[in-house]
Amino acid sequence: MEAAEMNPQDTFLRIGFDSLFLSQAVIKFNYKFKLKLSFRQLFEEAPTIAALAELVDEEIPAELFKPTPMAIPAPSPSTPTLQLLKRYL
């Protein structure tokens, strides 16, 4: 199933994920987000993408998901714009 075809309300099994994949996903979620999600919880409390997103939102403070500022390299002295500015200053 393509990502565009997925509905956030579809269950993981309907999307095509098997129990082995979901077991691995639980382990990765717990490791990455410092959760204590169990396989049983995934099936009972968060059987869909939307429900899992809601569960994660409840468990993890939003501050952890602030985007990291992108580092922009400083222009070098040989940049044409700086050369022009130096000429006129």
Side-chain angles (χ1 to χ4, degrees):
M1 181 179 281
E2 297 292 322
E5 299 171 5
M6 289 185 199
N7 178 341
Q9 301 305 323
D10 287 340
T11 65
F12 293 118
L13 295 176
R14 183 183 177 316
I15 293 171
F17 298 151
D18 60 20
S19 59
L20 176 60
F21 176 84
L22 292 173
S23 296
Q24 293 170 340
V26 166
I27 292 168
K28 287 183 180 182
F29 263 94
N30 289 338
Y31 177 77
K32 181 163 178 80
F33 299 114
K34 311 291 187 261
L35 294 175
K36 293 184 179 175
L37 179 67
S38 70
F39 185 74
R40 175 175 268 181
Q41 265 184 301
L42 185 66
F43 271 92
E44 292 177 359
E45 297 175 31
T48 65
I49 295 170
L52 180 59
E54 194 174 303
L55 180 74
V56 170
D57 280 346
E58 290 171 4
E59 296 291 323
I60 301 173
E63 298 83 48
L64 293 178
F65 290 104
K66 288 185 181 176
T68 329
M70 190 170 80
I72 300 173
S76 69
S78 62
T79 305
T81 307
L82 285 179
Q83 290 173 355
L84 286 173
L85 284 174
K86 286 179 182 176
R87 190 180 321 171
Y88 293 107
L89 292 178

